[in-house]
Amino acid sequence: MRTEYNPPIKERDTKELLSIVENTNDWKEDALAQARKELVARGYSIQNQENRAKSKKRYIRKTTSIKANATYSTKELLALYFFAPFILLVYWALGSTPTGDTFLELKDNGYNKKWKQRLLMTTLGNLSWFLLLILVLEYAY
């Protein structure tokens, strides 16, 4: 049984058809078959379509690996540690961080090591500043 899509597969541009073929998990088998057939009619062989899909999968796998293993430099880690309470205050005041990435954005975008490093350094930094403040207040009076 052939399913009709809106807009119809035949009326979609080539870029959209290639996207359908490359993202097989997002589409029903009928849509994939229609898109492949239309691409062949437009001059894209099945082999060409398969090569594009493989290339995209390799690209996604490689970028996922790079993101998962990305780390902060030593200078960035020290900055996170020493400026942790200020980053937290700016985040609460403005709703964003001066560095541009929040914990959730790092985790959601696949930067697992960076997420762990940021969490550790800001937690240690905030605890250190808190202890320093307590010591100063304790011994100042």
Side-chain angles (χ1 to χ4, degrees):
M1 183 173 133
R2 186 176 172 161
T3 307
E4 290 299 320
Y5 296 94
N6 189 14
I9 298 290
K10 280 189 170 201
E11 294 177 11
R12 296 176 189 236
D13 63 11
T14 303
K15 188 175 181 181
E16 205 171 349
L17 294 175
L18 288 169
S19 176
I20 291 170
V21 171
E22 291 168 2
N23 298 306
T24 56
N25 294 337
D26 298 341
W27 293 90
K28 294 180 182 176
E29 192 57 43
D30 182 53
L32 292 169
Q34 288 181 43
R36 285 185 185 112
K37 185 178 176 183
E38 183 59 29
L39 283 168
V40 167
R42 294 183 190 184
Y44 284 86
S45 68
I46 296 294
Q47 184 65 40
N48 187 313
Q49 295 173 39
E50 290 173 357
N51 288 343
R52 287 180 61 92
K54 286 178 188 175
S55 293
K56 183 169 183 172
K57 286 178 183 175
R58 274 195 308 269
Y59 171 78
I60 290 171
R61 198 170 38 250
K62 188 169 187 156
T63 56
T64 301
S65 173
I66 289 169
K67 285 180 178 182
N69 294 312
T71 61
Y72 286 112
S73 69
T74 304
K75 288 180 185 178
E76 290 171 320
L77 289 171
L78 289 172
L80 284 170
Y81 177 80
F82 287 112
F83 297 111
F86 306 109
I87 293 170
L88 191 61
L89 288 173
V90 169
Y91 179 71
W92 280 338
L94 302 177
S96 65
T97 61
T99 55
D101 47 3
T102 64
F103 291 110
L104 293 176
E105 289 170 345
L106 287 171
K107 183 97 171 155
D108 292 344
N109 291 327
Y111 292 96
N112 298 330
K113 281 189 180 179
K114 275 191 163 188
W115 174 75
K116 290 175 186 175
Q117 288 176 323
R118 188 178 184 101
L119 185 61
L120 177 67
M121 295 312 284
T122 54
T123 301
L124 290 175
N126 282 318
L127 284 173
S128 298
W129 278 93
F130 181 71
L131 291 173
L132 180 65
L133 181 64
I134 288 176
L135 289 173
V136 167
L137 293 175
E138 183 73 26
Y139 291 108
Y141 299 106

